């Protein structure tokens, strides 16, 4: 297997790919309503305490604990209600020996040190109020700064913004956020055998599935995608198309045409327009993956190039293993490690010269099961799978052995 010796280990390839790129630096200021999924470029620091004032956690009565004794409770002492504070109002200092009617979110008036829930208060005629229990210091008061203290960093730079982050930004008064621009990615699929869904299938054709999978994965990664459809298996066609888009994109992503067949023109096109830095990984599926760069027509810059294999499972898996971390770094995010858990195998398998990522899921007994058909053309294996089992090259696995299992959900964004 002389040719297998030239295969590059996945993690070596990945380190080299990541080492070649620098994160995008351009930023934009966007309204928080549009911030979901964007990558924060400048940390958000709170200028204020949240909440910014002590406020009531309940509808009830604010008071000074020192004004109420055990004997008052036993004797059902009636207290005057001297003030009413609703949310949005500002109150005045508590008059000694009185209660203050207060509602959830309203500022606790100066002097008050507890709020008693209205369920523990009975109103008498004339507006006097009787308490059925002794309040304790601090009861039902939400303290200023208990959520966020002024000066605290509430969202770190590099974070991909979630729904809650948008809420946190809003809660500290921020209407806009500074985010990195999205990576611009040109997507091409290659293959004369491809027919678009929605059209009749010609003899010898198959439906184009990679275009839709990759387009969706790129969107999930927060990219600005130019979905450029199918390229014919022809060197001039591929070369022209790649050259045309290089200047406008950070990355050109292709599927198919990177193997060793006579109709595999993508690698040659990239070599003619720039260079291939890596080709062929010691992984299964995904061996033909190629990485390089396509120069701008004026040679003053370049777009990165990643060529994924055409087989649907191979292109999907290599996207998750290699393109995703690449895009994370390009986007200004930390590159997330592949978290694997150790689980027991229910199967036997023996790998050869390449590390294998097998479509798997956990069964009811907590054992990892493999999809019966592991061919890289069987896309339904990916739909069935909930994870990938990562098995090193030249390894034999028997039922009961521990294997590394990577949840697909951890690889998706
Ligand atoms: P290639 O890498 O171009 O040699 O393609 C490998 C296999 O993947 C072939 O069986 C192709 O027909 C299939 N294939 C390539 N591109 C696609 C695509 N976009 N959608 C579905 N299958 C594809
Ligand atoms: Mg092809």
């Amino acid at each position: 297997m002389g040719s297998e010796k030239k295969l590059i280990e996945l993690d070596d390839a990945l380190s080299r790919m990541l080492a070649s790129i620098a994160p995008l630096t351009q930023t934009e200021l966007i309204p928080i309503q549009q911030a979901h999924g964007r990558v924060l470029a400048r940390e958000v620091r709170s200028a204020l305490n949240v909440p910014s004032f002590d406020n009531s956690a309940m509808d009830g009565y604010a008071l000074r604990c020192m004004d109420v004794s055990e004997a008052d409770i036993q004797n059902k002492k009636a207290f005057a209600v001297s003030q009413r504070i609703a949310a949005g109002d500002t109150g005045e200092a508590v008059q000694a020996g009185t209660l203050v009617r207060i509602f959830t979110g309203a500022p606790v008036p100066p002097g008050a040190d507890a709020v008693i829930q209205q369920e523990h208060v009975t109103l008498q005629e004339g507006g006097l109020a009787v308490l059925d229990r002794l309040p304790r210091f601090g009861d039902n008061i939400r303290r200023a700064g208990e959520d966020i203290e002024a000066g605290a960093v509430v969202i770190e730079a590099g974070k991909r913004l979630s729904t809650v982050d948008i809420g946190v930004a809003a809660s500290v008064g921020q209407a806009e956020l500074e985010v990195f621009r999205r990576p611009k990615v040109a997507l091409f699929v290659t293959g004369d055998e491809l027919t678009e869904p929605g059209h009749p299938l010609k003899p010898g054709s198959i439906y184009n599935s990679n275009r839709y999978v990759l387009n969706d994965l790129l969107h999930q990664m927060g990219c600005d995608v130019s979905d450029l459809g199918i390229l014919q298996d022809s060197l001039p066609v591929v070369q022209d198309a790649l050259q045309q888009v290089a200047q406008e994109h950070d990355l050109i992503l292709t599927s198919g045409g990177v193997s060793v067949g006579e109709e595999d023109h993508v690698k040659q096109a990239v070599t003619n327009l720039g260079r291939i830095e890596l080709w062929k990984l010691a992984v299964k599926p995904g061996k033909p993956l190629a990485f390089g760069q396509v120069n701008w027509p004026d040679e003053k810059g370049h777009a990165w190039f990643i060529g994924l294999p055409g087989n649907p499972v191979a292109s999907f898996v290599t996207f998750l293993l290699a393109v995703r971390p690449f895009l994370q770094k390009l986007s200004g995010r930390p590159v997330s490690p592949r978290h694997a858990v150790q689980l027991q195998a229910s199967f036997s398998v023996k790998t050869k010269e390449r590390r294998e990522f097998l479509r798997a899921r956990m069964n009811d007994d907590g054992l990892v099961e493999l999809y019966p058909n592991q061919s890289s053309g069987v896309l339904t294996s990916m739909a069935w799978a909930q994870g990938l089992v990562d098995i090193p090259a030249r390894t034999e696995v028997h039922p009961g052995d521990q294997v590394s299992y990577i949840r697909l959900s951890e690889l998706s964004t």
Side-chain angles (χ1 to χ4, degrees):
M1 285 275 205
S3 66
E4 298 281 15
K5 289 213 183 84
K6 286 187 283 178
L7 301 186
I8 306 159
E9 293 302 325
L10 171 67
D11 290 327
D12 293 344
L14 196 54
S15 320
R16 283 166 60 187
M17 287 168 71
L18 293 174
S20 346
I21 57 165
L24 300 174
T25 52
Q26 297 102 313
T27 64
E28 49 186 326
L29 206 56
I30 57 164
I32 53 175
Q33 293 93 318
Q34 292 163 23
H36 191 111
R38 301 300 300 269
V39 180
L40 192 66
R42 186 188 299 273
E43 68 185 14
V44 178
R45 204 177 267 278
S46 179
L48 65 156
N49 282 320
V50 178
S52 56
F53 51 89
D54 289 359
N55 67 88
S56 179
M58 292 289 169
D59 292 330
Y61 294 81
L63 46 76
R64 306 190 314 172
C65 290
M66 63 187 285
D67 290 343
V68 187
S69 69
E70 190 72 57
D72 294 340
I73 302 299
Q74 270 154 24
N75 301 333
K76 298 193 171 12
K77 175 174 173 183
F79 289 86
V81 179
S82 58
Q83 202 187 152
R84 184 180 187 278
I85 312 174
D89 291 346
T90 50
E92 286 157 20
V94 185
Q95 273 176 41
T98 70
L99 306 183
V100 173
R101 182 65 170 129
I102 195 163
F103 299 91
T104 306
V108 172
D113 51 22
V115 169
I116 186 159
Q117 254 174 287
Q118 62 189 30
E119 287 81 351
H120 295 294
V121 178
T122 311
L123 281 185
Q124 295 181 336
E125 274 175 46
L128 297 180
V130 176
L131 315 184
D132 72 4
R133 58 139 79 170
L134 203 57
R136 282 166 315 172
F137 181 85
D139 273 358
N140 301 313
I141 294 179
R142 303 192 285 218
R143 294 294 178 192
E146 75 173 33
D147 183 355
I148 298 163
E149 276 180 37
V153 173
V154 288
I155 319 175
E156 302 278 353
K159 172 126 200 258
R160 186 145 191 227
L161 298 165
S162 67
T163 307
V164 174
D165 294 324
I166 293 169
V168 168
S171 76
V172 300
Q174 199 101 3
E176 293 180 320
L177 291 170
E178 189 173 344
V179 296
F180 290 114
R181 77 163 168 84
R182 298 174 185 279
K184 293 185 199 142
V185 183
L187 173 65
F188 290 108
V189 299
T190 68
D192 289 347
E193 73 279 32
L194 299 177
T195 296
E196 290 294 4
H199 296 271
L201 201 57
K202 289 172 273 189
S205 321
I206 58 165
Y207 280 121
N208 179 6
S209 61
N210 291 353
R211 175 180 183 179
Y212 301 94
V213 169
L214 295 173
N215 177 57
D216 191 55
L217 286 168
L218 289 168
H219 278 111
Q220 281 188 55
M221 292 296 302
C223 298
D224 183 355
V225 186
S226 308
D227 179 356
L228 298 164
I230 302 170
L231 286 181
Q232 245 180 292
D233 286 323
S234 136
L235 182 59
V237 167
V238 173
Q239 194 165 317
D240 262 19
L242 298 189
Q243 182 158 47
Q244 268 187 33
V245 301
Q247 198 158 349
E248 292 303 312
H249 295 89
D250 303 299
L251 171 67
I252 302 173
L253 185 69
T254 63
S255 112
V258 281
S259 291
V260 289
E262 279 159 31
E263 296 298 343
D264 292 325
H265 303 292
V266 176
K267 216 177 103 265
Q268 188 58 52
V270 175
T271 306
N272 296 350
L273 296 170
R275 66 172 194 272
I276 291 286
E277 290 184 15
L278 291 170
W279 184 47
K280 283 203 190 168
L281 305 189
V283 290
K284 187 178 175 183
K287 177 163 98 170
L289 183 132
F291 169 67
Q293 59 185 63
V294 174
N295 294 332
W296 297 352
D298 63 7
E299 309 254 321
K300 288 189 173 150
H302 63 83
W304 297 109
F305 161 79
I306 301 177
L308 300 180
N311 272 308
V313 175
S315 81
F316 200 148
V317 168
T318 46
F319 187 99
L320 299 180
L321 297 176
V323 182
R324 173 178 177 264
F326 181 90
L327 287 173
Q328 284 177 329
K329 177 159 183 192
L330 197 62
S331 312
R333 295 165 64 187
V335 174
S336 38
R338 280 191 301 271
H339 285 299
V341 288
Q342 297 301 308
L343 294 177
Q344 268 188 357
S346 69
F347 55 86
S348 307
V349 89
K350 188 174 172 183
T351 57
K352 296 184 183 159
E353 303 301 306
R354 289 183 277 159
R355 178 174 178 179
E356 298 200 18
F357 289 89
L358 302 169
R359 273 66 69 210
R361 72 182 187 195
M362 209 175 16
N363 67 20
D364 292 341
D365 302 324
L367 302 180
V368 180
E369 229 173 273
L370 292 186
Y371 191 75
N373 186 341
Q374 292 286 331
S375 156
S376 62
V378 176
L379 189 55
T380 48
S381 68
M382 262 328 258
W384 177 92
Q386 289 164 352
L388 297 173
V389 170
D390 175 2
I391 303 189
R394 296 170 289 275
T395 301
E396 259 185 68
V397 173
H398 300 287
D401 289 354
Q402 297 279 314
V403 289
S404 293
Y405 177 84
I406 308 163
R407 290 195 180 84
L408 281 175
S409 57
E410 287 197 14
L411 291 176
S412 56
T413 54

